[in-house]
Amino acid sequence: MAVPQFFYRDFAHYLATQGYHVWTFDYRGTGEPLKGSMRRSAPLMWHLLAPLLCPPFGYFPGERLGVIGNIPSAAMFQWRRFNLRVFAEW
């Protein structure tokens, strides 16, 4: 979760060819379906909100902000590193 669905595209395709029913999705705030404001605001999330809000709260207070829910700081910074790499490729 919290990675764009294309990250698992090849794996999902492989499973489908093996007869498994496969469902991929983009978690709210990431990925393909976002052509509007949330996709454009991803840099705000990773460059400003995560670094500023995680230290004082000890977690990312996404529930208060109405995005992706509360997330432990370590997980948020791991996702941040991954998404900064992924979004740089887009």
Side-chain angles (χ1 to χ4, degrees):
M1 293 223 265
V3 296
Q5 68 185 25
F6 76 82
F7 182 80
Y8 290 108
R9 181 179 18 229
D10 292 340
F11 183 58
H13 176 72
Y14 169 77
L15 291 174
T17 63
Q18 301 303 306
Y20 291 94
H21 294 278
V22 181
W23 181 48
T24 62
F25 63 94
D26 283 321
Y27 198 59
R28 189 173 101 185
T30 64
E32 292 293 324
L34 296 172
K35 304 296 183 202
S37 61
M38 281 298 287
R39 186 169 186 163
R40 285 192 303 269
S41 68
L44 176 69
M45 170 79 81
W46 305 125
H47 292 287
L48 185 67
L49 295 178
L52 287 178
L53 297 176
C54 285
F57 288 98
Y59 65 94
F60 182 75
E63 213 169 89
R64 292 181 188 190
L65 302 172
V67 293
I68 68 177
N70 295 334
I71 301 171
S73 290
M76 189 62 170
F77 282 108
Q78 182 181 12
W79 291 348
R80 179 181 184 268
R81 283 189 302 275
F82 173 80
N83 280 295
L84 288 176
R85 270 197 317 266
V86 169
F87 286 122
E89 294 172 9
W90 283 358

